[in-house]
Amino acid sequence: MVDDADATVSVEVRRSRRRKSTVSAYRDGARTVVSIPARFTRAEEREWVERMLARLADKEARRRPSDAELLERATALSLTYLGGRAHPSSVRWSGNQGKRWGSCTLIDGSIRISSRVQGMPSWVLDYVLLHELAHLLHAGHGPAFWELLASYPRTDRAKGFLEGVAFGRDLPDDGPRPGGEVDDPDD
Ligand SMILES: [Zn+2]
């Protein structure tokens, strides 16, 4: 399993002649790529790399809400998209979801979201939450289930995003699971 916390931070600085004053940074696996204008001095480079790393870390922290915030968010999503009919008892991050993005237990209404979703765009997390919330109302993946998710405008886009991530990590969908434990959303 991929554990992002163990990733060593390596920074690659790219100098671009086409860049006049813009600086950008993104993660590429364990590596962080910072692009700066070619004219930057070493001092400016150090300053900007530091600034961009802090900015990225900040953005990522905002994408890792606490368990309490997850529950709050799930409750709001239920209200907005499911008419408030799904009532999760608890929502928490879980490091042992295997290939699943999330799961729920119908008997007590608890939802677990794979920690692999941490750091993904908020609209993807919202989709994973909604998927599990919808399972509290519908166990299977029939038309009635997808009907529940139809009002969320980014369902297809989020499914595509997760399929791409799974493909990239060689983690194919392991399909629906029988019983109270409902399976992953990436089907
Ligand atoms: Zn599902």
Side-chain angles (χ1 to χ4, degrees):
M1 204 173 111
V2 179
D3 185 356
D4 293 337
D6 290 337
T8 20
V9 180
S10 80
V11 180
E12 181 186 322
V13 177
R14 289 185 190 159
R15 287 177 171 265
S16 162
R17 273 193 192 85
R18 273 170 301 148
R19 275 178 192 275
K20 295 288 177 251
S21 57
T22 52
V23 179
S24 70
Y26 64 92
R27 306 271 195 221
D28 180 19
R31 202 165 49 126
T32 303
V33 179
V34 181
S35 301
I36 59 171
R39 61 168 177 80
F40 268 19
T41 63
R42 290 291 159 199
E44 282 173 320
E45 174 182 324
R46 266 197 308 276
E47 182 199 328
W48 274 95
V49 165
E50 207 170 293
R51 193 179 293 183
M52 295 311 280
L53 288 180
R55 208 177 279 180
L56 266 184
D58 199 55
K59 194 163 110 192
E60 284 161 0
R62 277 186 275 118
R63 285 178 175 181
R64 289 170 165 75
S66 68
D67 288 357
E69 285 164 339
L70 275 185
L71 177 61
E72 213 171 283
R73 193 153 170 167
T75 305
L77 286 166
S78 173
L79 269 175
T80 306
Y81 297 105
L82 300 170
R85 284 182 296 140
H87 301 282
S89 60
S90 71
V91 185
R92 59 181 176 81
W93 294 112
S94 165
N96 61 2
Q97 292 298 289
K99 292 172 179 177
R100 295 171 301 173
W101 298 113
S103 64
C104 67
T105 307
L106 295 174
I107 205 152
D108 66 359
S110 64
I111 290 175
R112 289 157 302 283
I113 304 296
S114 169
S115 46
R116 291 187 297 127
V117 177
Q118 289 177 348
M120 289 185 187
S122 55
W123 51 270
V124 176
L125 169 60
D126 284 351
Y127 165 72
V128 176
L129 285 168
L130 263 176
H131 186 109
E132 297 309 325
L133 286 167
H135 274 315
L136 294 180
L137 307 172
H138 254 283
H141 289 112
F145 172 81
W146 292 111
E147 188 69 27
L148 290 170
L149 292 177
S151 64
Y152 181 62
R154 285 168 152 176
T155 289
D156 286 340
R157 208 174 149 203
K159 282 167 75 176
F161 183 99
L162 292 170
E163 277 163 21
V165 172
F167 183 81
R169 293 181 179 178
D170 194 27
L171 289 168
D173 174 24
D174 58 354
R177 284 154 188 255
E181 281 269 315
V182 188
D183 69 295
D184 58 335
D186 60 345
D187 47 343

Short mmCIF file of all heavy atoms in Angstrom, two decimals, residues 131 135 141 145 182-185 187, ligand 1:
data_model
loop_
_atom_site.label_atom_id
_atom_site.label_comp_id
_atom_site.label_asym_id
_atom_site.label_seq_id
_atom_site.Cartn_x
_atom_site.Cartn_y
_atom_site.Cartn_z
N HIS A 131 -21.21 8.61 -2.42
CA HIS A 131 -21.37 7.22 -2.85
C HIS A 131 -21.71 6.33 -1.65
O HIS A 131 -22.64 5.53 -1.68
CB HIS A 131 -20.08 6.74 -3.53
CG HIS A 131 -20.18 5.38 -4.14
ND1 HIS A 131 -20.19 5.16 -5.50
CD2 HIS A 131 -20.26 4.15 -3.57
CE1 HIS A 131 -20.29 3.86 -5.73
NE2 HIS A 131 -20.32 3.22 -4.57
N HIS A 135 -25.19 4.42 -0.36
CA HIS A 135 -25.25 3.01 0.02
C HIS A 135 -26.03 2.79 1.32
O HIS A 135 -26.52 1.70 1.57
CB HIS A 135 -23.85 2.42 0.14
CG HIS A 135 -23.31 1.91 -1.16
ND1 HIS A 135 -24.06 1.17 -2.04
CD2 HIS A 135 -22.08 2.04 -1.73
CE1 HIS A 135 -23.31 0.86 -3.10
NE2 HIS A 135 -22.12 1.39 -2.94
N HIS A 141 -25.63 -1.68 -6.75
CA HIS A 141 -25.25 -0.67 -7.73
C HIS A 141 -26.22 -0.65 -8.91
O HIS A 141 -25.81 -0.46 -10.05
CB HIS A 141 -23.83 -0.93 -8.24
CG HIS A 141 -22.79 -0.65 -7.21
ND1 HIS A 141 -22.03 -1.62 -6.63
CD2 HIS A 141 -22.38 0.52 -6.65
CE1 HIS A 141 -21.20 -1.07 -5.75
NE2 HIS A 141 -21.40 0.21 -5.74
N PHE A 145 -29.64 3.01 -7.39
CA PHE A 145 -28.49 3.56 -6.67
C PHE A 145 -27.92 4.76 -7.41
O PHE A 145 -27.73 5.83 -6.84
CB PHE A 145 -27.41 2.48 -6.49
CG PHE A 145 -26.12 3.03 -5.93
CD1 PHE A 145 -25.98 3.23 -4.57
CD2 PHE A 145 -25.07 3.36 -6.77
CE1 PHE A 145 -24.80 3.77 -4.05
CE2 PHE A 145 -23.89 3.90 -6.27
CZ PHE A 145 -23.76 4.09 -4.90
N VAL A 182 -20.27 -2.56 2.36
CA VAL A 182 -20.50 -2.17 0.97
C VAL A 182 -19.18 -1.79 0.35
O VAL A 182 -18.29 -1.29 1.01
CB VAL A 182 -21.53 -1.04 0.90
CG1 VAL A 182 -21.91 -0.77 -0.54
CG2 VAL A 182 -22.77 -1.44 1.67
N ASP A 183 -19.12 -2.08 -0.94
CA ASP A 183 -17.82 -1.98 -1.62
C ASP A 183 -17.41 -0.59 -2.02
O ASP A 183 -18.04 0.39 -1.72
CB ASP A 183 -17.92 -2.80 -2.88
CG ASP A 183 -18.85 -2.11 -3.80
OD1 ASP A 183 -20.04 -2.00 -3.47
OD2 ASP A 183 -18.41 -1.63 -4.82
N ASP A 184 -16.35 -0.58 -2.75
CA ASP A 184 -15.73 0.65 -3.25
C ASP A 184 -16.58 1.37 -4.27
O ASP A 184 -17.37 0.76 -4.98
CB ASP A 184 -14.41 0.29 -3.90
CG ASP A 184 -14.61 -0.71 -5.02
OD1 ASP A 184 -15.60 -1.43 -4.98
OD2 ASP A 184 -13.79 -0.72 -5.93
N PRO A 185 -16.38 2.67 -4.37
CA PRO A 185 -17.13 3.45 -5.36
C PRO A 185 -16.56 3.35 -6.77
O PRO A 185 -17.19 3.86 -7.68
CB PRO A 185 -16.99 4.89 -4.86
CG PRO A 185 -16.31 4.81 -3.56
CD PRO A 185 -15.59 3.52 -3.52
N ASP A 187 -16.60 1.56 -9.26
CA ASP A 187 -17.10 0.54 -10.17
C ASP A 187 -17.91 1.15 -11.28
O ASP A 187 -18.12 2.34 -11.29
CB ASP A 187 -17.96 -0.47 -9.42
CG ASP A 187 -18.94 0.21 -8.52
OD1 ASP A 187 -18.73 1.40 -8.24
OD2 ASP A 187 -19.92 -0.39 -8.11
ZN ZN B 1 -20.53 1.23 -4.19
#
